Amino acid sequence: SGCFSLTPRFEGFRDAMNDFGIACDRGLVYELKLETPTSPYKEAVREAVEYLVSKNPRPDAIVCSNDLEAMVCLKELQSRGLAVPKDIAVVGFDDLKDASRCEPPLTTIHNPMNLLGLEAAKLILSIIEDPTRPTQSIVLPVTLVPRESA
């Protein structure tokens, strides 16, 4: 499988692959080259797709670090005449509303954004209450939302 970027989400992907005894081939990892987190990403995704589909053998799936990247990836693969998921599967992350509306509907990982916001607010309030409080990390559960792209 190919993957687009090196983030904590990638680390989770890599760890899950390792848990199933599947080596993560670094040659199939493409880190998007964005000047800023908000810079236009469509061209970066096009470059990533170009890189991944030129591999021999071509990966059977591309795991994107978010749904926006995955939806651009779907369109780019289709523009190259590749059928999703028959020729190559695509998976996103976040479960945005548009993920269920694209063609084909995007398989994704549901990220509980409301719960994430609530937990972040609690942490901020606890830091305001006690600025000496040690740093804390919270890991929230995510769930697979299987649709037609994988």
Side-chain angles (χ1 to χ4, degrees), residues 126-139:
S126 69
I127 291 169
I128 291 170
E129 191 174 288
D130 179 8
T132 63
R133 179 186 176 102
T135 303
Q136 181 181 359
S137 290
I138 296 175
V139 177

Side-chain angles (χ1 to χ4, degrees), residues 67 71 95-102 104-108 147:
D67 287 349
M71 288 184 275
D95 194 21
L96 300 177
K97 289 182 182 182
D98 286 343
S100 65
R101 298 181 197 136
C102 60
L106 182 65
T107 295
T108 187
R147 294 195 183 107

Side-chain angles (χ1 to χ4, degrees), residues 3-66:
C3 185
F4 279 178
S5 60
L6 301 174
T7 65
R9 290 179 182 185
F10 167 73
E11 292 168 3
F13 168 79
R14 183 198 58 218
D15 293 348
M17 296 283 282
N18 288 337
D19 289 348
F20 284 93
I22 302 168
C24 189
D25 181 348
R26 298 295 285 183
L28 292 176
V29 175
Y30 188 93
E31 185 172 3
L32 293 182
K33 293 163 183 69
L34 301 174
E35 292 177 22
T36 68
T38 59
S39 65
Y41 59 89
K42 288 182 181 181
E43 186 57 36
V45 172
R46 282 188 201 101
E47 289 173 12
V49 168
E50 173 74 27
Y51 172 81
L52 292 170
V53 300
S54 70
K55 292 297 191 178
N56 189 8
R58 183 179 65 223
D60 54 2
I62 296 176
V63 178
C64 301
S65 59
N66 64 60

